[in-house]
Amino acid sequence: DSGVTQTPKHLITATGQRVTLRCSPRSGDLSVYWYQQSLDQGLQFLIQYYNGEERAKGNILERFSAQQFPDLHSELNLSSLELGDSALYFCASSVSRGEGEAFFGQGTRLTVV
Amino acid sequence: GENVEQHPSTLSVQEGDSAVIKCTYSDSASNYFPWYKQELGKRPQLIIDIRSNVGEKKDQRIAVTLNKTAKHFSLHITETQPEDSAVYFCAASGMRDDKIIFGKGTRLHILP
């Protein structure tokens, strides 16, 4: 167990819908990263927060947004869902900004039908 | 933008032989290079990392080398065992922002 908690574990939803994925980082970790992993694909960086502030952005679609709350948990919002958004979404946390071990949650498997 | 290239995408080695996975990065400001292992259906986990002020680091059967001039780093696994079968990801970070950019992964098969 990495100490990073992601909910829900699985999510099935229809095209056009909106979902929210939740991540609780390890106790004491201030950085939260979001990644998308499609079938046989690598870990695509989406966005990163440090202590509530957005610090880095990857190729995140405009239909996707995220935030980190004062208690340091983070939410990734995916709207107007398309079939191609089906993927495993990982959250990771670390103590530092961009360096040091990142601890991954178990992921949220999103299936858009 | 920042990019990490990883090769090969698939690697099959006989049990007991060595495996080498290579990565190159584009941003010369990168200074931290972790390697993650992802077993089937599980989360990625750090197996070894190296910082830019070090050229080589070893941990039992695993070693990583870094060539900052060439912007190239490699993972070496010796005396491979069945439990080494997994997908391995290299990454680079410590750039001008806080990104951790991953390579596309190498699927390693250890053959009996």
Side-chain angles (χ1 to χ4, degrees), chain A residues 1-2 4 33 35 37 40-45 48 50 55-58 88 90 97-102 104-106, chain B residues 31-32 34 36 38 41-46 49 51 89 92-105 107:
Chain A
D1 184 8
S2 67
V4 180
Y33 306 82
Y35 290 88
Q37 186 173 44
D40 285 337
Q41 292 294 308
L43 294 159
Q44 295 290 321
F45 172 71
Q48 184 252 344
Y50 180 81
R55 288 286 306 164
K57 223 168 183 175
L88 188 54
F90 281 108
R97 289 167 41 186
E99 295 185 41
E101 183 171 1
F104 282 78
Q106 83 277 21
Chain B
N31 58 12
Y32 176 66
Y36 286 78
Q38 186 178 25
K42 297 197 174 176
R43 71 193 83 195
Q45 290 189 282
L46 181 76
D49 56 13
R51 297 185 185 275
F89 292 98
S93 72
M95 296 163 267
R96 294 168 190 86
D97 54 25
D98 296 353
K99 294 177 185 175
I100 304 175
I101 301 298
F102 285 82
K104 290 195 181 298
R107 188 173 297 278

Side-chain angles (χ1 to χ4, degrees), chain A residues 54-98:
Chain A
E54 181 188 305
R55 288 286 306 164
K57 223 168 183 175
N59 295 325
I60 187 168
L61 298 172
E62 282 192 17
R63 301 183 286 108
F64 296 2
S65 65
Q67 55 184 324
Q68 186 180 29
F69 294 86
D71 67 353
L72 300 178
H73 92 272
S74 179
E75 292 181 356
L76 179 66
N77 301 296
L78 315 176
S79 61
S80 303
L81 285 167
E82 302 175 0
L83 295 177
D85 297 328
S86 296
L88 188 54
Y89 290 84
F90 281 108
C91 158
S93 75
S94 70
V95 170
S96 57
R97 289 167 41 186

Side-chain angles (χ1 to χ4, degrees), chain B residues 29-67:
Chain B
S30 301
N31 58 12
Y32 176 66
F33 306 93
W35 287 86
Y36 286 78
K37 175 183 180 183
Q38 186 178 25
E39 296 177 353
L40 192 62
K42 297 197 174 176
R43 71 193 83 195
Q45 290 189 282
L46 181 76
I47 56 171
I48 195 167
D49 56 13
I50 191 167
R51 297 185 185 275
S52 58
N53 57 348
V54 175
E56 184 172 354
K57 184 176 177 180
K58 191 173 181 181
D59 182 4
Q60 299 182 345
R61 296 186 297 107
I62 294 173
V64 58
T65 58
L66 172 65
N67 182 329

